[in-house]
Amino acid sequence: MKATPHVPPYNFTDLLLDAVCVVDRDGYFLFVSAASERIFGYKPDEMIGKPMIDFVYPGDRERTLNAVTEILNGEHKPHFENRYVRKDGKIVHIMWSARWSESEQVRVAVARDVTERKRAESMQAAVYAISEAANSPGNLNSLFQRIHEVVDELLLATDFMVGLYDAEKNELSFPYCAHPDSDLSLSTRVLEIIVKQVIHTGRSLLLTPETIAAILPSLVFDTGPKTSNWLIAPIKSSNGMMGALLVMSSDNNMRFTEQDRELLQFVSIQVAAAIERKRMLTRLEYMAQFDQLTHLPNRILFLDRLQNALIIARREQKMLAVFYLDLDKFKQVNDTFGHATGDQLLSEVSRRLTLCVRESDTVGRIGGDEFVILANHIKHASDVDVIKNKIRAALSHPYELDKAQLQILPSIGCAIYPEHGENESELIHYADCAMYQAKKEQMALSLTSKP
C-alpha cells in the first residue's frame, strides 16, 4: 500500500497578490498576509500588534478613521482608497475592500496596490490642469500657484519653488516660493549652486542626505539648509533653458525616489509649454491694452478705466475730471528732425505726465501726440485749474533729446463729471472740444504778440 505523502500546512492567503488584513475594534492588526511585504514593505510580524492608523499617510488619517467608523456601523466599503507610507518611505496608494464581522468582532479587509494606476491618472490630470492654467486669466504667479497644487498632488510637495533663468545675464530669480519664511528657506548662494547645475546639464537631479554633500561645497553644506531631500527638474523648451522646478523635504522618513524624479521631469515639460503660452498671452494682452511706444494705457484701456471710475463717482456722488491734450507744432518736429526724435519726445512727455498725477489717476495715449488723463475724486472745480497748470508747467520745460533741444507747448482741454457729461463719450468729446478752443486762443495770442 502506497504511503500518503506528508503535506505541510499552508496559509493559502499568502498566495494572494493582494494583502489580507484583520484588524480588531481598537484598530490593531491581528493578522496580515505575506503580500504585505510586497505592498507595504513590512513583513507581517512587523505590522501585527501595531495600530493600523500609524501606517496611513498623515494627510489621509482623518478620512480613514471616518471610513472605519462607517465600517464599524455595518457599512461595506468595497472601493475605499487611501495612501500608506511604506517602510522605505515611499507613498503607496491602496484600494481597500473592507467589512466588519460582528460575530468575530474584527474588521476584515483586502488591500490592493493601485499606485501605478493612480500615477497614470495623476499624470493625465496634471497635463490637463497645467494646460488649463496656461490658458486661464492671471499672471505667471497664478500659473505657478496652480502648478504647485498639481505637483503637491503628485509628490506631496508642500515646499515648492520655481526658478527662472535669464540666459543673457546668467541670472536666476525665484518668483514663486511656497513658504518663503519657513526653515526650508535657502540662501541665494545655495540655490544658485544646485539649480545652475541642473540648468547647465539639462538633467533633473535627486538629492538625498547621502548625496547632497557632493553637490555643495563643504562650507556651504556644513552651515547650509536643513533641507536634505531635493528634487530639481529643468524647465526647458525649444528656445532654450527657462529655469527649474524645486521640491524639498526635511523629513528623512519620506524620501524622494527615482520615480518621483521622473514624475517631476514629466511635469516640467508641461510647465515649459505652459510658461511659454502664458507669456505669449500676457504679451498679446499687453499689446491690446497699452501703447507700444509710451507704455501708457491705450484708448481701449483708458475708456474701460473711465467707465469704472464713473460707476464709482455716481455711486459716491463725487466729481472726476478728464483732460485731453496734444502738443502744438508736433508735426514740425517729425518733419524737421525725423520720427525717431518725435518718438523720443512722446516718450518724455508720457514720463512727465505720469509724474504730474496721483497713482489713482490714469494717463493714456490715444494716438499721435494726443494724450488723455483721468483724475479721480476731484473735490472742487477749482482743482482742475491746479492740475492743468501743473501739466502745462511740466510739459513746457525744454526737452534735451538726442538730436534736438526743443520747447513744446501743450494745448489742454478739460471736462468735469457730472457738469460736462454723464458718460465717457460726452466727457471725452467735451474735453476734446475744449482743447481745440484752447489751441485757437493760444494761436490767436501768439499772433497778437508778434511785433
Side-chain angles (χ1 to χ4, degrees):
M1 181 176 179
K2 189 175 181 179
T4 303
H6 174 70
V7 179
Y10 282 105
N11 186 344
F12 289 100
T13 60
D14 290 345
L15 299 177
L16 299 175
L17 296 178
D18 297 337
V20 178
C21 304
V22 179
V23 182
D24 66 15
R25 179 178 284 276
D26 296 325
Y28 287 80
F29 283 113
L30 299 177
F31 170 81
V32 181
S33 66
S36 67
E37 187 170 5
R38 181 183 62 82
I39 296 175
F40 303 112
Y42 294 95
K43 295 179 179 179
D45 58 4
E46 294 178 294
M47 300 181 71
I48 293 172
K50 304 288 179 59
M52 169 274 301
I53 201 65
D54 288 354
F55 297 88
V56 178
Y57 173 70
D60 289 352
R61 287 178 181 174
E62 182 179 356
R63 187 166 59 87
T64 299
L65 290 175
N66 290 336
V68 168
T69 300
E70 294 172 352
I71 293 170
L72 293 177
N73 290 331
E75 185 174 336
H76 183 206
K77 289 283 185 181
H79 301 293
F80 177 76
E81 293 186 11
N82 64 2
R83 291 169 291 183
Y84 268 57
V85 182
R86 284 174 50 91
K87 187 176 181 179
D88 58 9
K90 296 179 183 178
I91 304 300
V92 60
H93 292 261
I94 305 296
M95 182 173 70
W96 294 93
S97 178
R99 70 189 318 163
W100 174 250
S101 172
E102 186 64 31
S103 60
E104 301 293 333
Q105 290 291 292
V106 294
R107 187 167 77 250
V108 181
V110 178
R112 174 167 295 179
D113 184 352
V114 294
T115 304
E116 286 303 314
R117 190 204 78 197
K118 295 292 290 187
R119 181 173 183 266
E121 291 175 353
S122 297
M123 290 173 69
Q124 184 177 11
V127 172
Y128 176 77
I130 293 173
S131 175
E132 185 179 46
N135 291 282
S136 300
N139 55 21
L140 272 179
N141 194 66
S142 63
L143 172 64
F144 295 150
Q145 176 66 47
R146 185 68 184 102
I147 290 169
H148 180 198
E149 293 171 359
V150 171
V151 174
D152 192 20
E153 186 69 25
L154 288 171
L155 300 172
L156 310 176
T158 302
D159 293 286
F160 174 79
M161 296 180 70
V162 177
L164 294 183
Y165 179 62
D166 186 330
E168 292 184 3
K169 298 179 181 179
N170 191 28
E171 290 180 353
L172 277 170
S173 62
F174 296 91
Y176 183 86
C177 178
H179 300 290
D181 300 323
S182 72
D183 291 338
L184 296 177
S185 298
L186 306 168
S187 70
T188 302
R189 183 184 176 195
V190 172
L191 286 171
E192 286 188 353
I193 291 172
I194 297 177
V195 177
K196 280 191 174 180
Q197 173 169 329
V198 170
I199 288 174
H200 292 323
T201 62
R203 296 192 297 268
S204 57
L205 190 62
L206 167 62
L207 294 179
T208 65
E210 291 75 27
T211 61
I212 193 170
I215 300 297
L216 295 177
S218 58
L219 179 62
V220 177
F221 177 72
D222 293 339
T223 61
K226 298 177 182 178
T227 307
S228 52
N229 299 293
W230 296 65
L231 281 177
I232 309 101
I235 305 171
K236 54 185 176 180
S237 69
S238 57
N239 296 321
M241 197 63 62
M242 304 171 68
L245 301 180
L246 296 86
V247 180
M248 299 155 283
S249 172
S250 58
D251 186 354
N252 286 329
N253 294 321
M254 295 182 63
R255 297 190 179 188
F256 299 122
T257 65
E258 280 296 322
Q259 189 177 63
D260 295 331
R261 184 184 64 80
E262 293 172 3
L263 267 177
L264 190 64
Q265 181 68 60
F266 171 80
V267 170
S268 71
I269 296 172
Q270 318 307 316
V271 170
I275 291 176
E276 286 191 324
R277 176 70 174 170
K278 180 63 73 174
R279 284 175 170 172
M280 182 191 70
L281 292 175
T282 300
R283 285 195 297 270
L284 291 175
E285 183 179 349
Y286 186 89
M287 291 171 63
Q289 295 183 324
F290 290 87
D291 174 60
Q292 299 306 294
L293 173 63
T294 63
H295 303 289
L296 295 175
N298 62 15
R299 178 187 293 271
I300 294 173
L301 181 56
F302 181 85
L303 290 176
D304 181 67
R305 292 186 180 179
L306 178 54
Q307 289 174 354
N308 291 332
L310 283 170
I311 292 172
I312 296 173
R314 292 189 191 101
R315 183 174 65 241
E316 299 180 356
Q317 296 184 340
K318 292 183 177 180
M319 294 188 295
L320 61 78
V322 175
F323 297 85
Y324 201 121
L325 66 93
D326 71 1
L327 307 176
D328 297 342
K329 301 179 182 179
F330 176 73
K331 185 176 182 300
Q332 294 180 16
V333 175
N334 280 335
D335 293 343
T336 304
F337 301 102
H339 287 277
T341 299
D343 288 349
Q344 193 178 0
L345 173 61
L346 291 173
S347 296
E348 177 59 19
V349 167
S350 68
R351 186 188 71 83
R352 295 186 186 186
L353 286 175
T354 302
L355 294 175
C356 285
V357 301
R358 303 160 296 182
E359 289 188 7
S360 60
D361 299 333
T362 297
V363 179
R365 181 189 178 207
I366 58 175
D369 62 326
E370 296 182 330
F371 295 84
V372 284
I373 298 173
L374 165 62
N376 290 295
H377 308 306
I378 299 296
K379 295 181 179 180
H380 307 286
S382 59
D383 293 342
V384 169
D385 291 329
V386 174
I387 298 173
K388 189 185 298 184
N389 291 334
K390 186 177 181 180
I391 294 171
R392 184 176 287 109
L395 299 189
S396 298
H397 285 299
Y399 295 84
E400 298 287 344
L401 307 178
D402 291 343
K403 295 184 178 180
Q405 181 178 356
L406 303 173
Q407 187 163 16
I408 299 291
L409 298 177
S411 294
I412 308 172
C414 180
I416 300 175
Y417 169 83
E419 181 180 351
H420 300 135
E422 289 289 333
N423 56 51
E424 62 275 10
S425 298
E426 293 175 356
L427 292 171
I428 292 287
H429 178 71
Y430 187 96
D432 187 18
C433 293
M435 181 197 71
Y436 277 102
Q437 182 61 35
K439 186 179 292 291
K440 289 180 181 179
E441 293 174 359
Q442 194 160 292
M443 289 178 61
L445 181 62
S446 63
L447 291 174
T448 56
S449 63
K450 290 183 179 181

